[in-house]
Amino acid sequence: MITLFHSPRSRSTRIVALLKELDALDAVRIEVVTIPRMDGSGGRDPRNPHPDGKVPLLDHDGVLVWESSAIIQHLAELFPASGLGIPVGDPQRGPYLSWLAWYAGVVEPVLTLKALGLEHPALGRTFRTEAEVLARLTDAVRDRPFLLGDRFTAADLLLHSPYAWFGKPGLPEIDAWVDRCMDRPGARFAADFDARHAAV
């Protein structure tokens, strides 16, 4: 039994999109739960076993997997037929894993600090600046449709997600890449799923 604990219009929306892309919706049960929201609404759901009461959380036969990067890698390897993951031995495995880790270690902190209006030279040296993040992404998709070339992978699904949620940065290369990712079946399915379950 595999269960995704999901709250609509949250970071776990991208995992719902991933399940569609992996053709894994029949194999993974989606448990819709509440979470505390930034506006003070919602609340911790006793059905959600996440140690912090957050989403996404994956329960795979009683083993918990948390954090989007880990869940995405786990699911992509569990359902390899989709081709969204990069297997061991493939020369693109290193860049693929690096993009997943870069999201968690750099992109999310940088965008969070920006949203909070916090700036300090040490933060920029530690995590990079938003300008450096955007430059890196621009270079990656300047001459190809996706991060690893012609192939859409789970790395694209993860990395484009904050720009799908908060808005594109207004840079042609990145905006076009985000549009390509948002036009995928997974993104469309997840948006519809969340619209149907938004009251939770």
Side-chain angles (χ1 to χ4, degrees), residues 14 20 33 40 66-67 73 128 133 152 157 183 185 188:
R14 55 196 173 204
K20 174 66 174 177
V33 297
W66 63 96
E67 298 301 328
Q73 184 179 344
R128 316 321 182 267
V133 166
F152 176 81
L157 188 147
D183 195 39
R188 293 194 297 270

Side-chain angles (χ1 to χ4, degrees), residues 2 4 10 25 37 48 69 78 158 174 178 188:
I2 308 174
L4 171 68
S10 72
L25 289 165
R37 301 283 181 168
N48 181 4
S69 296
L78 200 60
L158 177 61
I174 297 178
V178 172
R188 293 194 297 270

